[in-house]
């Protein structure tokens, strides 16, 4: 009987220990900082990373035809696009213009397949006005873009960030552009959009099935 009690005690302890094969923790992308969202998820190996980079390079070329302010980063895995605020909004306004809607429309296909991409929206301003004003301006503007996407597609993987005047643009040498002229202030008023590969793309790349067909974009 004494040994039976010992065995039962061991079983109780064993069952109370968390399993090693626990499910992968679900990440809430809306709780992550911009840098954290930009850096994750990471491809499991170099082959997957290379396939994603090749695919993103082709996609970036297509987007470049619509917007020449298009680049790739993170070793080619992430696409970045910049839109002048003047293309999207009237001065000091927060209502998305018709011209702005046309400019943003090519981005909608990237949200049709859940989990293929996450789209990060970063709205910036120049330093005209108080910190509170510039932050509120960028908050209202990025929410206007977010709401337009919601009305025309899905925002399940869209994360908006309002940065006010905290992060000026940079020149070709990587130096911050000062707000010391009308032209420079115009460059700093902008929307940056980052297309970051998500888990569904990782799986397609792993299987070697990543192709423009998944975006309904012609080669």
């Amino acid at each position: 009987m004494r040994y039976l009690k010992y065995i039962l005690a061991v079983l109780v302890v064993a069952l109370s220990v968390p399993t090693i094969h626990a499910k992968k923790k679900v990440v809430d992308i809306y709780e992550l900082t911009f840098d954290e969202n930009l850096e994750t998820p990471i491809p499991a190996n170099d082959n997957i990373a290379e396939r994603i980079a090749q695919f993103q390079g082709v996609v970036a070329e297509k987007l470049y035809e619509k917007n020449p302010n298009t680049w790739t980063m993170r070793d080619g895995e992430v696409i970045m696009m910049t839109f002048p605020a003047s293309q999207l909004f009237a001065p000091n306004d927060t209502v998305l213009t018709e011209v702005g809607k046309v400019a943003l429309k090519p981005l909608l296909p990237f949200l049709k397949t859940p989990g293929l991409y996450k789209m990060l929206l970063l709205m910036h301003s120049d330093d005209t006005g108080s910190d509170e004003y510039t932050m509120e301006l960028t908050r209202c503007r990025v929410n206007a873009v977010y709401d337009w996407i919601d009305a025309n597609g899905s925002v399940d993987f869209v994360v908006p960030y309002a940065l006010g005047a905290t992060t000026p643009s940079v020149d070709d040498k990587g130096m911050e552009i000062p707000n010391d002229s009308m032209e420079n202030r115009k460059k700093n008023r902008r929307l940056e959009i980052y297309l970051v590969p998500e888990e569904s793309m990782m799986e397609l790349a792993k299987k070697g099935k990543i192709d423009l067909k998944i975006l309904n974009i012609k080669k």
Side-chain angles (χ1 to χ4, degrees):
M1 182 64 68
R2 183 175 60 186
Y3 294 110
L4 178 59
K5 291 181 179 179
Y6 174 77
I7 293 173
L8 290 174
V10 171
L11 287 174
V12 170
V13 172
L15 290 174
S16 66
V17 176
T19 176
I20 296 176
H21 303 290
K23 290 184 178 180
K24 186 177 180 181
K25 183 179 179 181
V26 177
V27 176
D28 185 351
I29 60 177
Y30 296 95
E31 294 296 325
L32 299 180
T33 65
F34 164 68
D35 287 335
E36 290 170 336
N37 261 322
L38 183 64
E39 295 168 2
T40 58
I42 297 296
N45 56 58
D46 291 342
N47 287 334
I48 294 176
E50 183 177 354
R51 290 171 183 171
I52 289 175
Q54 290 177 347
F55 174 73
Q56 291 285 76
V58 175
V59 173
E61 289 180 0
K62 294 295 181 181
L63 289 174
Y64 183 87
E65 297 173 2
K66 303 291 185 179
N67 182 352
N69 295 314
T70 301
W71 306 270
T72 59
M73 56 187 301
R74 209 185 83 179
D75 296 326
E77 298 165 7
V78 174
I79 297 173
M80 172 189 175
M81 302 180 72
T82 300
F83 298 83
S86 59
Q87 185 180 23
L88 307 176
F89 301 94
N92 299 312
D93 201 353
T94 60
V95 178
L96 191 61
T97 65
E98 292 303 316
V99 173
K101 295 174 184 179
V102 172
L104 295 173
K105 190 174 182 180
L107 293 167
L108 295 178
F110 295 89
L111 301 169
K112 288 185 177 180
T113 303
L116 190 68
Y117 284 99
K118 60 183 168 185
M119 185 181 293
L120 311 180
L121 311 176
L122 276 70
M123 185 64 71
H124 303 267
S125 74
D126 61 28
D127 65 353
T128 303
S130 66
D131 292 343
E132 292 78 8
Y133 171 79
T134 57
M135 192 61 70
E136 179 65 10
L137 178 65
T138 55
R139 185 189 67 81
C140 291
R141 283 181 167 181
V142 78
N143 284 341
V145 175
Y146 181 92
D147 291 343
W148 178 81
I149 294 174
D150 189 24
N152 291 275
S154 170
V155 289
D156 288 345
F157 288 85
V158 180
V159 187
Y161 294 94
L163 298 181
T166 61
T167 313
S169 186
V170 296
D171 59 23
D172 295 338
K173 297 180 180 179
M175 302 295 291
E176 287 190 355
I177 296 176
N179 289 291
D180 57 0
S181 69
M182 185 179 297
E183 183 62 27
N184 283 348
R185 287 193 291 272
K186 181 178 179 180
K187 291 177 181 178
N188 284 331
R189 297 191 298 268
R190 69 203 188 278
L191 170 67
E192 294 174 351
I193 296 182
Y194 296 79
L195 296 171
V196 184
E198 260 292 344
E199 296 294 348
S200 294
M201 185 180 294
M202 303 288 176
E203 287 300 314
L204 289 172
K206 181 179 179 181
K207 298 174 183 178
K209 295 183 178 181
I210 190 169
D211 187 89
L212 287 177
K213 293 179 181 178
I214 61 178
L215 295 174
N216 196 28
I217 297 177
K218 296 180 180 180
K219 293 183 178 180

